[in-house]
Amino acid sequence: MRRCILIFSIFLSFKSVAQTTQASKWVDSVYNSLNPDERISQLMVLRLSTYDFKNKKAIFFDKEVGEAVKKYNVGAVCLFQGDPVKQATVLNELQAMAKTPIMTCIDAEWGVGMRIFDSVKALPHQMMLGAVSDPAIIYQYGKLVGDQCKRLGINVNYAPVVDINNNPNNPVINDRSFGEDKYKVASYGIQYMKGMQDVGVMACAKHFPGHGDVAVDSHLDLPVINKTFDQLDSLELYPFKQIFNAGVGSVMIAHLYIPAIDNTPNRATSLSKKNVTDLMRNKLGYDGLTFTDALEMQGVNKFFPNGEASVQSLIAGNDMLCLPGDIEMNIKKIKDAIKKKTLTWEDIELHCKKVLAAKYIYCRENDEPIDLENITVDLNDGIPEMKKLVAENAITLLSKSKESFLPLTTQKNNTAGIAYVGIGISSDNAFAKRMRSDYNAPVFYFNYKQDATRLLSTIELIKKKYKKVIIGVHNYSRTPANNFGISTTAVNLVNQLQQQTNAITFVFGNPYAIKNFCDAKQLVECYEDDAYTQNAAADLLLGKFAAKGKLPVTVCDKYKFGSGIIETSASLPITNPDEVALDIVKLNGIDSVVNAAITARATPGCVVLVGKGGKIAYQKAFGTYSYEDITPVTLDAVYDIASVTKMCATTLAVMKLYEDGKIDLKKKLGNYLSWVKDSNKENLLIEDILLHQAGLSPFIPFYKELIKLGNGDLSNYLSEEKTDSFSIPVAQDQFLRNDWQDTIYKRILESPLTTRGKYVYSDNGFILLGKVVEALTGMTLDEYVKTNFYSPLKLQSIGFKPLNNLPEYKIVPTENDNEFRFQTLRGFVHDPGSAMLGGVAGHAGLFSNAGDLAVLMQMLLNGGVYDGKRYLKKQTIDLFTDYHTESRRGYGFDKPEKDNYKRAEPYPCLSASSQTFGHTGFTGTCVWVDPKYNLTYIFLSNRINPTAENKKLLNMNVRTNVQEAIYKALQ
């Protein structure tokens, strides 16, 4: 029974139970077609190529591998160096001659360009990803790597690395790790894995049980880790436990000597039954596919040569033998072990069927040859955009002095006296070119071979002539040996310039090298040294974006893990879900709901944020700006939040006025707006308007009257230029005739009333409340909420008319208006009524990113206090967010239906407590707060892009399903 569970657990991880019967038949059929040698050979991964560094060319072993495929039906090959056309051609030939699909693997942690470096660009290393705060970017990165692998016919990528690099001198992991924090390593490893596996490429977590705390390269010898098991369990094993639970398809076993796991002399963890079977299989419960690390490495080959490592690997419980060497010798050694009864044919059957099960899921598409046309172009597709995205989110500002010139503008009077010192270069790179073009700065080169004789003269020249010095540290080694190759003279030059001039230092490469420059008054870590990162760093200097990165590792006493100055709008602190009692695996179930919605074109993209206990436990951006604009959505994306305006602007304003004694909820509208007197709106109670039970009509399509009056020609009502008579902006280069605002209010006053006390959701009531705020304060609604809430809370994205304060690229396009304004709306409110009121109205018009909304909601959750300042009284918040009638409405806030327990479609979701309050928006947004759990849920999307006719987000209950997933994650 145990054997059956092991064999088919891999199906259950990725496929429905219904498919396992078909899979079982396929596996059994293929297995029965293989002879004993072929069954053993299915467990072997052969090297397909290597690289001759002396002659700078790839050497392929296609002839030797082809012979092994014909003779033994070898199970897998691993791609290394070589151009993609050659790689694909060889793979097509091998697949054509194979009896069963060959599993194709690659060791490409930062994309296939890591191996195919002659024609495909490599992606950033994992440590740069570890500096990023947005997990959605890691998912997008994994998906891009997966797409590359699929294009090249690769089924398995030996990634991600989930080793925790807690040893700065680690020669083999180092910047291949996400960093030193176990939570981030686990979380980002899962995102990388999901990105690949969601496009059909198996991920491989490595290197179990954790390769981060070593000082010896296992390619050369067997590293030793002298830790207690409790120490390993609390740190190194944590990311593996999490990614195992999240469904990673495979794991690679490291060559390490860890006496706490197995103290047998010279026995690597890859060859240890105590490690593979007892610890990983039995104790941790992982039954997916295992690969050994390369058996040609001296960490095992030194002690178990000539095929013995393969035998010991299988005895330990591994499935696949990576780079075992001579096939014939290995098969003989394994058969000898079976004769000696240290292995059994049942063991071979178990491993072989697990390999075939993996092939059933990932490899059967290999029946179709790889298309060679445009393969290099296709493999590079998306890489520039990803490198730019990562750079802009990872670059880390570590220090900023009082004399800071960050940002450094390009105005002529500011660029005089600026010099650039390029350390490690002898000619202009992309950053040096930008210094010349942006600031007309002279460039001083100083490579690592230059001696100290030039040091003093260079410093004196720069001190005398230049007021601002930009320093770039380039071209140093990724590995820590010999101080990364950075000369003592170069270190002295940088430090003296930092001390004696007004300088800013950019370090381009492995962040551990910062240990040389920790005394810098202004210091920026950039992680990589390619043109994309250099241009992003230049953009940061210009002020085109704010630094968002955080150090993924400790580099000195001054700069520890998490260091980094974030110069963006106020935001809640970020925490690991486990720390606020949320199950990280269940919480990541949100991804499935959202990705299914995007696949179904329910929305082109969205942002989801979950706050718990005053901290952000989950925040991810998904998809793109639109179906035409494939700019990836990021956490900073600003959306039109539609009717969430009613809660986050108008209701907040009324609450403040209520506290100040300026408005009485029991009084009538006519007490505050003189112009409603003698109309049927005069006697409407403020309380009833807030509860949507004043009898007001739900919605008046003001724009349709324009269309009707103009008979399709709107030139009498809309102008392409702003004039004294046409000054109300409704869209880009469109201005409404001024007198139409009076017409709008007149239409509201003339509209009929229905039964008072009956709940009918109405925009018109909140339009009127917005005017009440204006009448009582002498300020427009946008000015009042900005002055009393947004500015004091240090919120920078939330507000009306966002193009007045934000660059367009941050704002997601909302809808292609094909009825009224005939353009794509971006930064102009979608709601036509709000647009005709100038973009500021009580019912719609507010824009925001998720982070600002989270701060605003946390203030309410805190009882009106945030960062030591009181904005509202708790009694006021409790009053406005409570039920007051039979409907689900509070004063301005929406709430759960009271009979959710018996509804087929509960609102907003089944598990929301009765204390919950929030609001939804027509554009595909919602903001919900549950005080019972100190929980915030924000969903921002532009589901109406391209048109509002798209109701898939509603029909699929996407927002509800995401919210329910959050409650299921509560521990």
Side-chain angles (χ1 to χ4, degrees):
M1 182 65 181
R2 171 70 172 163
R3 179 169 284 108
C4 292
I5 294 172
L6 284 170
I7 292 171
F8 294 109
S9 63
I10 195 165
F11 295 130
L12 301 179
S13 298
F14 306 103
K15 302 289 180 179
S16 68
V17 175
Q19 290 178 293
T20 60
T21 301
Q22 182 181 355
S24 177
K25 290 179 180 178
W26 186 87
V27 168
D28 287 341
S29 173
V30 175
Y31 178 81
N32 292 333
S33 72
L34 302 174
N35 64 42
D37 286 359
E38 290 174 328
R39 291 170 182 174
I40 294 173
S41 186
Q42 280 291 304
L43 312 181
M44 298 186 184
V45 185
L46 302 190
R47 176 186 285 275
L48 192 58
S49 65
T50 189
Y51 194 75
D52 181 349
F53 285 93
K54 182 179 180 180
N55 296 306
K56 296 183 179 180
K57 67 176 183 178
I59 300 173
F60 278 81
F61 306 121
D62 46 329
K63 181 179 178 182
E64 294 85 348
V65 174
E67 290 174 355
V69 170
K70 289 178 182 177
K71 187 173 182 180
Y72 297 111
N73 199 31
V74 70
V77 296
C78 187
L79 277 64
F80 287 89
Q81 291 84 359
D83 75 84
V85 175
K86 175 69 173 179
Q87 300 272 26
T89 301
V90 172
L91 286 178
N92 283 340
E93 292 170 354
L94 294 176
Q95 295 288 5
M97 67 177 67
K99 285 171 59 178
T100 62
I102 299 173
M103 180 181 287
T104 53
C105 311
I106 193 169
D107 187 10
E109 299 154 17
W110 48 92
V112 299
M114 172 183 172
R115 294 298 176 191
I116 309 170
F117 49 71
D118 60 341
S119 55
V120 180
K121 298 180 182 71
L123 289 163
H125 297 81
Q126 283 189 199
M127 190 160 284
M128 188 176 192
L129 298 181
V132 172
S133 298
D134 185 351
I137 294 174
I138 316 305
Y139 175 85
Q140 293 171 5
Y141 181 102
K143 187 174 181 293
L144 177 58
V145 174
D147 287 336
Q148 286 184 317
C149 291
K150 290 281 283 187
R151 181 65 182 88
L152 195 53
I154 296 164
N155 317 121
V156 182
N157 185 15
Y158 296 147
V161 172
V162 291
D163 302 313
I164 300 166
N165 201 82
N166 47 1
N167 186 338
N169 295 316
N170 192 323
V172 65
I173 302 301
N174 213 284
D175 68 354
R176 297 165 65 193
S177 168
F178 288 115
E180 70 181 46
D181 179 69
K182 67 179 182 180
Y183 299 113
K184 176 165 274 190
V185 170
S187 174
Y188 281 21
I190 289 170
Q191 290 308 309
Y192 191 149
M193 174 270 289
K194 283 180 176 291
M196 286 199 296
Q197 292 190 174
D198 281 355
V199 297
V201 173
M202 181 188 280
C204 181
K206 63 185 187 185
H207 306 80
F208 185 87
H211 210 310
D213 195 4
V214 302
V216 172
D217 188 342
S218 52
H219 292 83
L220 308 176
D221 208 338
L222 183 61
V224 179
I225 298 179
N226 286 309
K227 287 188 172 184
T228 67
F229 183 80
D230 286 344
Q231 288 174 320
L232 295 168
D233 190 47
S234 65
L235 188 66
E236 276 83 357
L237 291 177
Y238 179 83
F240 289 98
K241 292 176 185 177
Q242 297 301 319
I243 202 167
F244 289 168
N245 290 335
V248 70
S250 64
V251 61
M252 179 173 283
I253 313 299
H255 303 321
L256 303 168
Y257 181 60
I258 307 178
I261 295 175
D262 190 340
N263 61 7
T264 306
N266 300 322
R267 183 166 292 278
T269 45
S270 53
L271 313 187
S272 169
K273 187 174 183 180
K274 290 181 180 180
N275 179 60
V276 179
T277 299
D278 296 345
L279 173 58
M280 189 185 69
R281 297 292 194 203
N282 297 338
K283 188 168 184 176
L284 301 186
Y286 182 68
D287 286 335
L289 204 64
T290 65
F291 293 85
T292 67
D293 208 341
L295 296 177
E296 65 186 17
M297 292 164 62
Q298 290 305 301
V300 290
N301 195 44
K302 177 179 178 180
F303 304 104
F304 297 90
N306 303 321
E308 187 59 30
S310 294
V311 173
Q312 296 300 320
S313 296
L314 293 176
I315 293 172
N318 287 295
D319 299 310
M320 300 209 77
L321 310 172
C322 193
L323 312 188
D326 184 87
I327 297 292
E328 185 173 353
M329 177 185 64
N330 275 274
I331 291 174
K332 181 181 183 302
K333 282 292 184 77
I334 291 167
K335 289 167 76 173
D336 287 345
I338 293 171
K339 289 177 183 178
K340 295 175 184 176
K341 298 186 178 179
T342 54
L343 276 174
T344 68
W345 282 111
E346 286 76 13
D347 294 327
I348 301 302
E349 178 184 0
L350 168 65
H351 299 307
C352 184
K353 285 190 173 181
K354 282 184 69 179
V355 171
L356 292 174
K359 289 186 177 186
Y360 179 84
I361 298 171
Y362 290 102
C363 305
R364 290 181 304 144
E365 293 181 3
N366 290 353
D367 290 343
E368 292 294 325
I370 303 164
D371 184 1
L372 302 182
E373 188 174 354
N374 295 323
I375 189 169
T376 302
V377 173
D378 293 344
L379 289 171
N380 281 293
D381 187 37
I383 292 177
E385 294 81 3
M386 179 56 66
K387 288 170 80 77
K388 182 176 184 290
L389 178 65
V390 170
E392 290 181 352
N393 282 272
I395 291 176
T396 305
L397 175 60
L398 290 170
S399 60
K400 188 175 180 181
S401 69
K402 293 180 181 179
E403 297 80 28
S404 172
F405 51 82
L406 184 68
L408 182 59
T409 66
T410 57
Q411 297 175 11
K412 289 183 180 179
N413 60 338
N414 287 335
T415 57
I418 296 173
Y420 175 62
V421 180
I423 307 296
I425 60 175
S426 300
S427 61
D428 277 12
N429 57 13
F431 195 69
K433 290 176 181 176
R434 285 290 299 273
M435 297 305 99
R436 291 188 193 276
S437 62
D438 292 348
Y439 306 109
N440 196 29
V443 176
F444 296 85
Y445 306 130
F446 198 97
N447 65 45
Y448 300 124
K449 294 181 180 180
Q450 288 173 302
D451 57 32
T453 56
R454 190 178 160 215
L455 192 65
L456 293 176
S457 60
T458 301
I459 294 169
E460 288 303 314
L461 172 63
I462 292 172
K463 278 173 60 178
K464 288 180 180 179
K465 194 170 182 181
Y466 302 102
K467 296 178 181 178
K468 297 169 184 174
V469 181
I470 303 161
I471 304 169
V473 183
H474 299 278
N475 288 332
Y476 60 86
S477 172
R478 286 179 48 223
T479 57
N482 300 315
N483 193 29
F484 301 92
I486 303 174
S487 67
T488 302
T489 305
V491 172
N492 290 337
L493 174 61
V494 173
N495 286 328
Q496 289 191 49
L497 285 172
Q498 288 174 160
Q499 294 166 11
Q500 300 180 40
T501 67
N502 186 9
I504 184 170
T505 301
F506 291 81
V507 181
F508 292 92
N510 190 320
Y512 284 119
I514 288 175
K515 66 181 183 179
N516 295 288
F517 314 113
C518 285
D519 292 332
K521 295 175 184 177
Q522 297 190 92
L523 182 62
V524 181
E525 168 56 32
C526 302
Y527 301 97
E528 301 278 350
D529 198 19
D530 56 44
Y532 300 97
T533 306
Q534 291 170 20
N535 278 307
D539 287 343
L540 175 78
L541 187 60
L542 275 172
K544 289 188 176 183
F545 67 92
K548 306 180 186 73
K550 294 280 189 178
L551 267 184
V553 290
T554 297
V555 298
C556 60
D557 290 340
K558 186 176 181 180
Y559 300 122
K560 298 183 181 297
F561 164 79
S563 297
I565 301 170
I566 306 297
E567 297 188 316
T568 56
S569 59
S571 63
L572 299 179
I574 298 170
T575 188
N576 185 271
D578 289 346
E579 295 183 357
V580 288
L582 285 167
D583 186 306
I584 188 172
V585 175
K586 291 181 179 178
L587 203 58
N588 281 320
I590 294 170
D591 299 26
S592 300
V593 177
V594 174
N595 287 324
I598 291 174
T599 300
R601 295 175 75 89
T603 180
C606 67
V607 174
V608 182
L609 183 148
V610 180
K612 178 79 159 54
K615 298 178 180 179
I616 296 173
Y618 174 105
Q619 55 173 344
K620 291 184 184 177
F622 300 85
T624 58
Y625 273 21
S626 71
Y627 300 113
E628 292 77 29
D629 182 352
I630 59 171
T631 301
V633 177
T634 67
L635 295 178
D636 289 333
V638 173
Y639 283 86
D640 178 341
I641 60 176
S643 285
V644 178
T645 303
K646 295 180 175 73
M647 173 179 73
C648 292
T650 312
T651 301
L652 283 181
V654 172
M655 292 166 78
K656 177 68 175 169
L657 293 171
Y658 169 82
E659 278 194 3
D660 292 345
K662 294 182 179 180
I663 192 167
D664 186 335
L665 304 186
K666 302 296 183 181
K667 284 192 174 182
K668 299 174 182 178
L669 187 64
N671 294 121
Y672 303 105
L673 294 179
S674 60
W675 51 274
V676 306
K677 290 183 178 180
D678 299 325
S679 76
N680 59 4
K681 309 301 182 298
E682 178 181 0
N683 294 318
L684 300 183
L685 295 179
I686 299 298
E687 176 183 45
D688 285 340
I689 296 174
L690 286 166
L691 291 168
H692 294 276
Q693 60 178 35
L696 288 159
S697 58
F699 168 72
I700 300 174
F702 307 107
Y703 73 99
K704 288 188 177 181
E705 184 175 350
L706 281 185
I707 295 172
K708 185 177 180 180
L709 288 172
N711 195 25
D713 180 7
L714 297 178
S715 59
N716 287 330
Y717 308 100
L718 293 177
S719 170
E720 293 181 358
E721 296 181 0
K722 185 177 181 179
T723 66
D724 291 341
S725 301
F726 293 81
S727 65
I728 303 167
V730 295
Q732 187 67 44
D733 299 325
Q734 284 189 6
F735 299 88
L736 178 68
R737 205 172 73 194
N738 297 350
D739 58 1
W740 254 88
Q741 287 199 345
D742 292 336
T743 302
I744 289 173
Y745 294 121
K746 183 179 179 182
R747 296 294 179 261
I748 294 175
L749 293 183
E750 292 173 346
S751 64
L753 294 176
T754 57
T755 306
R756 178 186 176 274
K758 180 182 178 182
Y759 167 55
V760 177
Y761 181 79
S762 173
D763 284 345
N764 294 323
F766 275 76
I767 292 175
L768 293 169
L769 286 175
K771 299 303 289 183
V772 170
V773 173
E774 183 177 323
L776 290 174
T777 65
M779 303 169 70
T780 57
L781 175 62
D782 59 328
E783 292 171 340
Y784 184 75
V785 290
K786 182 177 180 180
T787 300
N788 287 279
F789 295 99
Y790 306 157
S791 291
L793 285 166
K794 301 177 183 177
L795 308 181
Q796 294 183 9
S797 79
I798 192 169
F800 296 85
K801 300 186 288 188
L803 289 172
N804 290 351
N805 304 299
L806 299 172
E808 185 184 74
Y809 74 84
K810 283 193 173 184
I811 306 169
V812 177
T814 309
E815 182 196 19
N816 299 337
D817 186 347
N818 296 318
E819 191 174 2
F820 173 37
R821 287 163 282 184
F822 299 97
Q823 62 177 257
T824 298
L825 301 175
R826 187 171 191 176
F828 289 89
V829 60
H830 157 263
D831 183 274
S834 178
M836 295 171 74
L837 291 169
V840 179
H843 70 299
L846 202 60
F847 287 71
S848 183
N849 65 20
D852 280 6
L853 289 170
V855 170
L856 200 59
M857 293 302 101
Q858 193 60 47
M859 179 270 291
L860 297 176
L861 274 173
N862 293 346
V865 176
Y866 190 85
D867 199 21
K869 178 179 172 123
R870 179 166 292 282
Y871 295 85
L872 294 167
K873 296 176 183 176
K874 184 177 186 302
Q875 301 95 302
T876 304
I877 296 170
D878 291 344
L879 173 67
F880 274 70
T881 60
D882 198 5
Y883 293 107
H884 295 282
T885 66
E886 292 303 312
S887 81
R888 68 171 194 248
R889 290 283 166 172
Y891 288 146
F893 292 92
D894 204 355
K895 292 183 64 62
E897 295 285 4
K898 296 177 180 178
D899 59 350
N900 265 340
Y901 65 93
K902 65 180 182 181
R903 284 178 174 259
E905 294 187 359
Y907 179 86
C909 77
L910 179 62
S911 299
S913 80
S914 60
Q915 298 176 36
T916 300
F917 59 89
H919 218 288
T920 59
F922 182 79
T923 51
T925 60
C926 71
V927 178
W928 291 102
V929 168
D930 192 338
K932 181 178 179 180
Y933 302 105
N934 201 354
L935 191 68
T936 299
Y937 161 48
I938 296 168
F939 185 101
L940 302 182
S941 80
N942 54 339
R943 66 100 189 161
I944 62 172
N945 189 297
T947 71
E949 295 175 1
N950 181 10
K951 294 181 171 56
K952 290 181 181 178
L953 193 83
L954 311 175
N955 297 335
M956 294 173 68
N957 288 321
V958 174
R959 289 173 288 188
T960 295
N961 293 338
V962 170
Q963 190 171 12
E964 191 62 38
I966 297 167
Y967 282 99
K968 288 179 179 177
L970 286 171
Q971 296 177 348

